[in-house]
């Protein structure tokens, strides 16, 4: 398997949530730190390293707001300054690709509270079997096509992405429709649930905390902290 790096996207304005989704705490941990720790716990298979040692992938956060997240994340985490915020995730992704030399890139949104290390590790372990013709290895989102913000991309995909953007394209989904993509079968689709609104977050917390627990436990993650 080729070298692997991770890009965590954290450039959205979180307008539907009403506050920065990346800093919302669940079980006392900000979402962006949860995502980081999930992928940091994964390991690249030994055949991809010279000495046969299993290594964790290098992690990058792509964001216009490094100062906002620097204190939340370990010093080993790298940052890429997003140059064109509010232009959409595909443009941001292409910028991230230009800054990383890894053969495979795992692209993940920062608002996936149920993401799990076993799910991501399963994808990493299968990368060596992906057809050379496939530019990506992605889950499918029921009724919406590919899930572009939780999957693996070959570094070489940036060429077609740039051509698509230069031709006036903007949609991640529309670009992927023009490419060969291998489906990443996810056995637990709840891993792909994201939190876009307070209602999404409330539903997710309702599943996480039984009714027997205090409602204040749920509300603590919904209410911005005051200092």
């Amino acid at each position: 398997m080729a070298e692997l790096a991770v890009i965590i996207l954290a450039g959205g304005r979180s307008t539907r949530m009403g506050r920065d989704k990346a800093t919302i705490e669940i079980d006392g941990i900000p979402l962006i730190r949860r995502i980081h720790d999930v992928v940091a716990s994964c390991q690249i298979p030994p055949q991809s390293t010279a000495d046969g040692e299993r290594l964790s992938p290098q992690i990058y956060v792509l964001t216009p707001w490094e100062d906002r997240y620097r204190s939340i994340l370990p010093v080993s985490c790298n940052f890429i300054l997003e140059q064109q915020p509010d232009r959409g995730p595909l443009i941001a992704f292409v910028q991230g690709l230009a800054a990383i030399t890894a053969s495979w890139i795992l692209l993940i949104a920062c608002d996936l509270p149920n993401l799990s290390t076993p799910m991501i590790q399963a994808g990493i372990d299968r990368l060596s079997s992906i057809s050379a013709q496939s530019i990506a290895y992605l889950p499918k989102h029921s009724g919406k096509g590919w899930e572009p913000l939780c999957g693996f991309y070959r570094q070489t995909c940036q060429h077609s992405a740039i051509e698509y953007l230069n031709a006036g394209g903007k949609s991640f989904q529309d670009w992927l429709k023009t490419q060969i993509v291998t489906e990443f079968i996810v056995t637990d689709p709840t891993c792909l649930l994201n939190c876009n609104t307070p209602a999404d977050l409330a539903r997710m917390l309702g599943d996480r905390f039984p009714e027997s627990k205090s409602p204040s436990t749920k509300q603590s993650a919904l209410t911005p902290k005051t200092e």
Side-chain angles (χ1 to χ4, degrees), residues 83-152:
Q83 301 290 343
Q84 296 178 290
D86 304 322
R87 295 287 303 279
L90 182 56
I91 288 179
F93 177 47
V94 169
Q95 182 194 333
L97 285 172
I100 297 173
T101 59
S103 299
W104 280 101
I105 291 87
L106 170 59
L107 180 66
I108 301 186
C110 67
D111 61 349
L112 298 169
N114 293 329
L115 194 71
S116 73
T117 295
M119 170 201 161
I120 298 300
Q121 186 66 59
I124 292 173
D125 292 342
R126 295 178 191 131
L127 288 180
S128 61
S129 66
I130 303 303
S131 166
Q133 284 70 46
S134 290
I135 61 100
Y137 181 41
L138 305 175
K140 279 192 172 178
H141 198 296
S142 179
K144 297 182 180 179
W146 297 111
E147 178 50 75
L149 304 186
C150 185
F152 302 86

Side-chain angles (χ1 to χ4, degrees), residues 1 3 5-6 19 24 31 51 57 75 86 127 136 149 153 167 174 194 201:
M1 192 199 75
E3 181 187 0
V6 179
R19 57 180 295 206
I24 291 175
L31 273 176
D51 58 5
V75 294
D86 304 322
L127 288 180
L149 304 186
Y153 294 84
D174 288 348
N194 58 1
L201 183 58

Side-chain angles (χ1 to χ4, degrees), residues 196-209:
N196 288 317
T197 67
D200 291 340
L201 183 58
R203 281 194 298 271
M204 189 278 297
L205 291 174
D207 293 337
R208 188 177 289 269
F209 296 104

Side-chain angles (χ1 to χ4, degrees), residues 7-66:
I7 296 177
I8 301 174
L9 282 183
R13 295 287 178 180
S14 303
T15 53
R16 287 182 288 172
M17 181 62 73
R19 57 180 295 206
D20 186 355
K21 292 185 289 185
T23 60
I24 291 175
E25 292 189 1
I26 297 177
D27 298 336
I29 304 172
L31 273 176
I32 193 169
R33 180 59 188 255
R34 293 176 67 88
I35 298 299
H36 172 279
D37 291 353
V38 163
V39 296
S41 297
C42 294
Q43 295 183 316
I44 302 171
Q47 62 265 31
S48 66
T49 61
D51 58 5
E53 182 183 0
R54 292 177 72 92
L55 302 174
S56 297
Q58 186 65 58
I59 302 173
Y60 299 81
V61 173
L62 180 56
T63 181
W65 309 297
E66 178 178 346

Side-chain angles (χ1 to χ4, degrees), residues 126-225:
R126 295 178 191 131
L127 288 180
S128 61
S129 66
I130 303 303
S131 166
Q133 284 70 46
S134 290
I135 61 100
Y137 181 41
L138 305 175
K140 279 192 172 178
H141 198 296
S142 179
K144 297 182 180 179
W146 297 111
E147 178 50 75
L149 304 186
C150 185
F152 302 86
Y153 294 84
R154 293 188 191 275
Q155 172 67 240
T156 52
C157 77
Q158 66 176 304
H159 304 298
S160 65
I162 290 172
E163 289 180 357
Y164 171 79
L165 291 169
N166 287 341
K170 297 179 181 179
S171 166
F172 229 127
Q173 290 285 1
D174 288 348
W175 169 59
L176 289 171
K177 289 176 183 176
T178 69
Q179 304 299 311
I180 298 175
V181 178
T182 298
E183 183 177 0
F184 175 14
I185 304 296
V186 175
T187 56
D188 181 8
T190 64
C191 288
L192 303 176
L193 295 178
N194 58 1
C195 289
N196 288 317
T197 67
D200 291 340
L201 183 58
R203 281 194 298 271
M204 189 278 297
L205 291 174
D207 293 337
R208 188 177 289 269
F209 296 104
E211 287 300 321
S212 59
K213 291 192 176 182
S214 169
S216 63
T217 305
K218 301 179 188 179
Q219 188 62 30
S220 63
L222 298 170
T223 305
K225 288 188 174 181

